[in-house]
Amino acid sequence: MDAGRITRRAGVVLVLAAAGLLFATSALTSGGTDLRSESADLGSVVAQRSRENAQRAAQVATLRSEVDTLSRDAATTPGQDPLEDPALGTASGALAVQGPGLTVTLDDAPDTERPASASPDDLVVHQQDVEGVVNALWNGGAEAMMIMDQRIVSTSAVRCVGNVLVLQGRTYSPPYRITAVGDVSRLRAALDASAEISIYREYVAAYGLGYQVSSGQDLQLPAFDGTTRLTYAREGAA
């Protein structure tokens, strides 16, 4: 194998390995805040970030095509190339996944089921509710996961901005759908065992919040189409 091929192969492996961590950052980055926070300028900020995300998604698609080309060039004997390992591609989000699993749907309480004693916070789905479902499904052995129409990877974090859910630069309104591929029995058991979901279901009973769990035998989760680059604040930065 020539030096150029070795270099290309190593570069591709590093790209996928960097994305190969399981989803574990949402609770840390969110700080436990609610989905319905108030801020006068957040709407324009979200719109701007959404436009920027669309531009970056196009760049990522181009880079992904280059990675696919390098992957094919680096392949030698089947079973020896790390890029051919389905587990690596699934964990990193680089490969589309299909199979049996569950879809959990969370929704705000309808206007017709709002007790006079309820506060506004009692009647809406919060960030921690979505996180609770996500964490329970991972605990139940989920092989891959999607929130709404986006694949979840190591850098994914659900956040609240005003009255919407923000995920990887895109905004969503309820109902929120979380889909996981894995052993259906284990996933259901993990949902039932979750303390966070147990509390949420008390609000379902008291205030009419939406909670629905459905199973499927051929769920299809697309490959991740965003960027896995991490950004962070630095002291003294403008």
Side-chain angles (χ1 to χ4, degrees), residues 58-107:
Q59 296 173 345
V60 168
T62 300
L63 293 173
R64 185 177 298 279
S65 177
E66 295 177 5
V67 169
D68 290 341
T69 299
L70 289 171
S71 300
R72 289 191 295 270
D73 291 344
T76 54
T77 304
Q80 294 182 351
D81 196 316
L83 297 175
E84 295 176 354
D85 184 354
L88 176 60
T90 298
S92 67
L95 298 178
V97 176
Q98 68 180 82
L102 295 179
T103 296
V104 180
T105 304
L106 307 179
D107 200 1

Side-chain angles (χ1 to χ4, degrees), residues 25-216:
T25 60
S26 64
L28 294 177
T29 57
S30 67
T33 54
D34 288 342
L35 282 170
R36 308 303 174 183
S37 62
E38 296 294 334
S39 181
D41 297 327
L42 287 178
S44 60
V45 171
V46 170
Q48 176 64 23
R49 291 295 183 269
S50 295
R51 289 192 294 269
E52 293 175 357
N53 184 74
Q55 295 172 351
R56 290 169 181 167
Q59 296 173 345
V60 168
T62 300
L63 293 173
R64 185 177 298 279
S65 177
E66 295 177 5
V67 169
D68 290 341
T69 299
L70 289 171
S71 300
R72 289 191 295 270
D73 291 344
T76 54
T77 304
Q80 294 182 351
D81 196 316
L83 297 175
E84 295 176 354
D85 184 354
L88 176 60
T90 298
S92 67
L95 298 178
V97 176
Q98 68 180 82
L102 295 179
T103 296
V104 180
T105 304
L106 307 179
D107 200 1
D108 294 347
D111 292 336
T112 56
E113 297 184 28
R114 301 197 169 191
S117 60
S119 71
D121 281 345
D122 295 331
L123 306 173
V124 296
V125 178
H126 290 287
Q127 177 175 319
Q128 58 265 31
D129 302 325
V130 179
E131 291 174 346
V133 172
V134 169
N135 291 333
L137 292 173
W138 284 133
N139 288 337
E143 300 171 14
M145 198 177 306
M146 179 171 68
I147 297 179
M148 304 301 281
D149 58 350
Q150 293 198 68
R151 182 76 171 271
I152 298 303
V153 295
S154 61
T155 56
S156 302
V158 294
R159 302 179 68 85
C160 60
V161 178
N163 63 342
V164 297
L165 173 68
V166 179
L167 177 63
Q168 293 158 181
R170 303 177 196 171
T171 59
Y172 302 94
S173 297
Y176 303 121
R177 295 180 304 279
I178 304 101
T179 302
V181 167
D183 182 273
V184 173
S185 297
R186 288 186 61 195
L187 294 175
R188 284 190 181 276
L191 292 173
D192 292 340
S194 168
E196 290 80 6
I197 295 176
S198 178
I199 293 173
Y200 178 82
R201 294 181 70 174
E202 292 178 5
Y203 282 76
V204 171
Y207 302 114
L209 289 172
Y211 179 76
Q212 182 178 10
V213 180
S214 59
S215 61

